[in-house]
Amino acid sequence: MDNVVILGAGFGGLTLASELNDLAKAGKADVTLVDQNTHFSMGFSMQWVLAGRREAGEGQRPYTALSADHVKFVRDEIITIDTKNSTVQTKKHRILYDYLVIALGAELAPELLPGLAEAGLNLCDMQHVLKLKGAVGSIKSGTIAIIISSTPFKCPPMPYEYAFLIDDILRKRGVRENVRIVLTTPEPQPMPVAGKAVGDALKTMLAEKGIEYLPQHKPKAIDAQDHKVTYENGFELSFDILGAVPPHRAPKVVREAGLADASGFVPVDLYTLKTSVENVYALGDVAALKLPNGNSHPKAGVLAEAQASALARSMIAAIEGGKAIAYDGTGVCYIDAGNEEAAPVEVDLLAPEGPKITLSPPSKEGLETKRRFERERLDRWFGTY
Ligand SMILES: Cc1cc2nc3c(=O)[nH]c(=O)nc-3n(C[C@H](O)[C@H](O)[C@H](O)COP(=O)(O)OP(=O)(O)OC[C@H]3O[C@@H](n4cnc5c(N)ncnc54)[C@H](O)[C@@H]3O)c2cc1C
């Protein structure tokens, strides 16, 4: 019987495990899912904590409650991937595979930007977001800087959402006019993959809220003493609070396995998610996908999910017989716009004429749909609570 081993139980790994469960149930494959964590929670949960919509522990699900009850879950840290011997070594287990799927997400590396770890709050880390919430909740005047350290990073609208949510909190507190919010990015525009029209719409949203926006600003170093960001173009930005999207790269175990390229991520075929090593696949944030136009494919949970779904159907076809399914690059996400509203974004990355991204105006209904998006996935992966 084929042995399918899935590394990482995030958006991608959970989708794949759920969709392969019937295969495991029918005794047609052994499926193992490995993750170091005890619980799953969605990235945007951090933003909901900042916005005061939930507490830090809410929205989590324990891996012991996985709906994929014929998938073996191993809770352990993966320390070696040995593709020559088709083996994965965790701290306590040696796991052999016939098919390996790497869905280990991105490693956050604040240390790659000098001074960041000392002076900045990591916008992708719940403990840091709790500190940010405290700081935004008490600032009376000054500057809040939201910086994007480098590209690529997960969830292209995420830093913009943080800026909108912080704006909202400051308005409710009645201190907005005394606090500057400045968002800087190395990108030429917001969400470049989405094209000029969507970028312009986001710039308008930022301007309407008085959020200063500085594209093409790549930070070089942070001075933790003087509370100042220095950029490669020579610009300097003083701050009172610094929220940062840190540099991203593939996790150490993946880099040490020699699977990452110069981009820092694992190159895969856009349609099949195959790596250069036979029977080894990578998907989601850990993978470096290139769009047909040569641009980088964005990283997002909903796209990791779509990749995993396509791979699941192809694996089922390979094992049971049938036609493989190509990844189609479609999905929907919801930009949290503050004021308890979200703007739906429909994504069709592989449209024949090039990536087609449609942004709808923010609405209360949009945020309600985002709530439903989370509920549906948690129910699918963990059963109803
Ligand atoms: C604030 C924020 C908001 C976001 N909002 C959205 C949104 O609205 N929509 C959207 O689509 N995406 C959103 N994202 C992005 C989304 O969270 C990621 O793109 C998505 O989680 C990627 O899925 P993945 O399966 O590739 O990796 P992940 O979900 O990151 O999962 C990787 C798993 O691998 C495990 N792992 C890593 N290394 C090891 C190891 N050595 N041993 C064992 N286990 C290991 C980790 O514990 C983790 O569980 C957001 C992200 C953030 C930070």
Side-chain angles (χ1 to χ4, degrees):
M1 193 167 16
D2 283 321
N3 214 352
V4 181
V5 175
I6 307 165
L7 306 184
F11 254 91
L14 284 168
T15 301
L16 189 60
S18 301
E19 298 196 14
L20 294 182
N21 193 50
D22 281 349
L23 207 61
K25 189 174 174 183
K28 293 181 178 165
D30 274 330
V31 183
T32 304
L33 177 64
V34 190
D35 202 289
Q36 62 202 356
N37 289 341
T38 55
H39 286 70
F40 170 81
S41 69
M42 298 226 168
F44 56 71
S45 217
M46 292 181 246
Q47 296 170 323
W48 292 10
V49 167
L50 175 70
R53 292 181 201 139
R54 65 166 39 152
E55 296 298 323
E58 285 177 58
Q60 291 190 343
R61 293 291 182 273
Y63 288 120
T64 48
L66 276 181
S67 306
D69 52 356
H70 287 79
V71 170
K72 182 178 171 203
F73 180 73
V74 175
R75 200 222 136 193
D76 206 355
E77 187 187 346
I78 300 148
I79 48 175
T80 317
I81 299 169
D82 177 355
T83 54
K84 286 207 174 65
N85 295 301
S86 303
T87 311
V88 171
Q89 182 68 51
T90 70
K91 278 186 171 160
K92 294 196 208 102
H93 307 275
R94 186 168 177 265
I95 305 169
L96 289 166
Y97 65 80
D98 298 301
Y99 296 100
L100 181 70
V101 183
I102 302 170
L104 289 169
E107 179 181 282
L108 305 169
E111 66 277 13
L112 295 181
L113 177 56
L116 181 57
E118 294 76 38
L121 294 170
N122 180 345
L123 296 174
C124 305
D125 179 300
M126 182 65 93
Q127 293 313 313
H128 284 233
V129 171
L130 285 169
K131 284 188 195 153
L132 179 68
K133 183 175 161 69
V136 174
S138 60
I139 190 170
K140 292 195 178 71
S141 63
T143 300
I144 301 179
I146 303 291
I147 66 164
I148 297 169
S149 304
S150 56
T151 57
F153 58 92
K154 53 180 137 189
C155 193
M158 176 253 288
Y160 301 89
E161 295 177 296
Y162 272 112
F164 297 144
L165 291 171
I166 290 170
D167 167 78
D168 201 23
I169 295 168
L170 297 176
R171 277 176 205 280
K172 285 185 183 134
R173 287 190 50 232
V175 297
R176 178 65 179 94
E177 60 206 29
N178 303 325
V179 183
R180 275 176 84 197
I181 305 176
V182 186
L183 194 157
T184 75
T185 178
E187 304 162 299
Q189 63 155 83
M191 295 172 51
V193 73
K196 187 171 179 317
V198 171
D200 285 347
L202 270 164
K203 279 200 251 179
T204 303
M205 282 168 72
L206 291 165
E208 281 171 357
K209 292 172 190 285
I211 298 165
E212 295 166 53
Y213 177 62
L214 300 175
Q216 289 175 314
H217 278 59
K218 186 166 185 339
K220 193 166 78 179
I222 320 285
D223 185 332
Q225 209 86 47
D226 287 351
H227 281 208
K228 201 170 62 184
V229 186
T230 306
Y231 293 85
E232 285 184 354
N233 60 11
F235 185 75
E236 291 184 347
L237 176 66
S238 295
F239 62 84
D240 296 281
I241 300 172
L242 176 64
V245 178
H248 287 38
R249 62 185 172 196
K252 185 165 171 261
V253 65
V254 176
R255 286 180 281 123
E256 286 180 352
L259 290 161
D261 68 7
S263 73
F265 297 92
V266 183
V268 293
D269 178 85
L270 173 63
Y271 302 102
T272 63
L273 292 323
K274 283 181 180 169
T275 67
S276 56
V277 182
E278 206 181 340
N279 295 337
V280 178
Y281 300 79
L283 55 84
D285 289 357
V286 76
L289 281 77
K290 281 259 179 272
L291 295 172
N293 64 10
N295 290 341
S296 293
H297 180 291
K299 299 186 186 300
V302 70
L303 299 172
E305 177 182 289
Q307 291 157 21
S309 210
L311 181 57
R313 282 174 289 152
S314 294
M315 284 186 154
I316 292 167
I319 291 168
E320 288 193 324
K323 207 166 162 269
I325 307 281
Y327 167 58
D328 71 356
T330 57
V332 184
C333 68
Y334 306 88
I335 300 182
D336 210 319
N339 195 29
E340 295 305 294
E341 293 184 336
V345 185
E346 273 190 53
V347 179
D348 183 357
L349 291 168
L350 307 181
E353 65 279 21
K356 200 171 143 212
I357 282 95
T358 318
L359 174 70
S360 300
S363 65
K364 307 270 177 222
E365 199 197 338
L367 185 59
E368 202 37 58
T369 317
K370 186 163 184 164
R371 287 200 171 92
R372 202 160 56 235
F373 171 92
E374 184 197 46
R375 225 170 21 243
E376 281 170 5
R377 277 147 189 87
L378 293 179
D379 288 353
R380 188 182 306 153
W381 297 333
F382 299 96
T384 44
Y385 261 62

